[in-house]
Amino acid sequence: MKPGIHPEYRPVVFRDKGADFAFLTRSTATSDQTIEWTDGNTYPVIDVQISSASHPFWTGKQRLLDTAGRVEKFRKKYARRGPQSGR
């Protein structure tokens, strides 16, 4: 690697507040916030909205967010159209 052109690669804590989950990894991401980790060291912390602790693919739990409203909106939008000719 060429010296002086790459960002600093260092330990960073990523925290999912919604799932009360955090993990320490290495990254070039930066943050002004810090957190004291279980090893007693202080690391930059980056808050994320979704992690493996909260994502439906990893948890197996799907959150339904206004599904009925979206389905009804779809039906209302396309109910006006009749059968398409020429298909």
Side-chain angles (χ1 to χ4, degrees):
M1 287 190 343
K2 232 179 193 180
I5 63 168
H6 298 283
E8 183 183 0
Y9 188 64
R10 61 192 167 154
V12 176
V13 173
F14 286 90
R15 177 175 57 188
D16 182 352
K17 287 185 175 181
D20 194 28
F21 175 73
F23 59 95
L24 177 66
T25 187
R26 295 181 56 86
S27 176
T28 59
T30 60
S31 175
D32 295 332
Q33 298 177 356
T34 59
I35 189 171
E36 187 172 334
W37 194 244
T38 56
D39 62 3
N41 293 327
T42 302
Y43 299 106
V45 64
I46 303 210
D47 292 324
V48 295
Q49 292 180 359
I50 296 177
S51 69
S52 61
S54 61
H55 194 280
F57 180 81
W58 299 107
T59 62
K61 299 176 186 173
Q62 178 127 5
R63 291 187 297 180
L64 298 176
L65 304 171
D66 189 28
T67 303
R70 290 188 292 177
V71 170
E72 290 304 317
K73 185 177 177 182
F74 176 84
R75 287 183 179 159
K76 183 179 175 183
K77 182 177 180 180
Y78 292 103
R80 291 180 267 147
R81 297 183 184 183
Q84 299 276 334
S85 61
R87 286 192 177 182

